[in-house]
Amino acid sequence: MIKSISCVALGIFFLTASVVHAEEKFPLTVRIILGKKTGNEVDPRLKDLVREFGALKFSSYSLHHEAHFDLQTGAAARVGLTDGTSAQVLVKGLAGERLRLEISVEKKNIKATVAVAAGATVVIRGPDIPNGAMIIVITRPTTEPTAP
């Protein structure tokens, strides 16, 4: 009798712990940046990020859109792109200390899964534009997740 009560209590504890974890909200900043091969201007709001773009081989960067989200596991946010499509960021959950995100762009066959640590930034090349490409930049601030 005591064993079955302990198992039930333990099961309720694990269920409660996983529900609380699933309800945490993770802050994310999503920026859509236009990278171009022409010009050499960098939007002043992007100066701190330019070093992240080295592999993309563009010479000019401008901020198209910036949005801030607090998302729970399983929740998604959409950000409009310049071509009328949108990028979606889906929170898959924590893998250790890293937050797993699935990024996709509708109608463009672009899909990536990344794991981002608190305080880190990930950069994903998005759809092409004339003389360049859209760049999807996702930052996970160092702040802790918040309860609902």
Side-chain angles (χ1 to χ4, degrees), residues 28 30-32 69 71 74-92 100-114 122-127 134-138:
L28 297 171
V30 180
R31 297 179 208 174
I32 305 301
F69 301 102
L71 299 175
R78 289 190 179 277
V79 179
L81 304 177
T82 61
D83 62 357
T85 62
S86 63
Q88 176 179 284
V89 178
L90 172 65
V91 176
K92 300 292 279 180
R100 289 184 318 116
L101 304 172
E102 184 178 284
I103 297 94
S104 59
V105 178
E106 65 181 357
K107 302 178 188 175
K108 298 292 182 178
N109 199 25
I110 296 173
K111 193 170 191 175
T113 301
V114 297
V122 293
V123 177
I124 299 147
R125 183 187 167 119
M134 288 180 255
I135 304 165
I136 303 163
V137 178
I138 302 168

Side-chain angles (χ1 to χ4, degrees), residues 55-87:
L56 297 176
K57 309 278 191 247
F58 298 117
S59 59
S60 178
Y61 299 95
S62 62
L63 181 63
H64 169 66
H65 184 73
E66 180 173 331
H68 303 274
F69 301 102
D70 288 315
L71 299 175
Q72 293 176 281
T73 298
R78 289 190 179 277
V79 179
L81 304 177
T82 61
D83 62 357
T85 62
S86 63

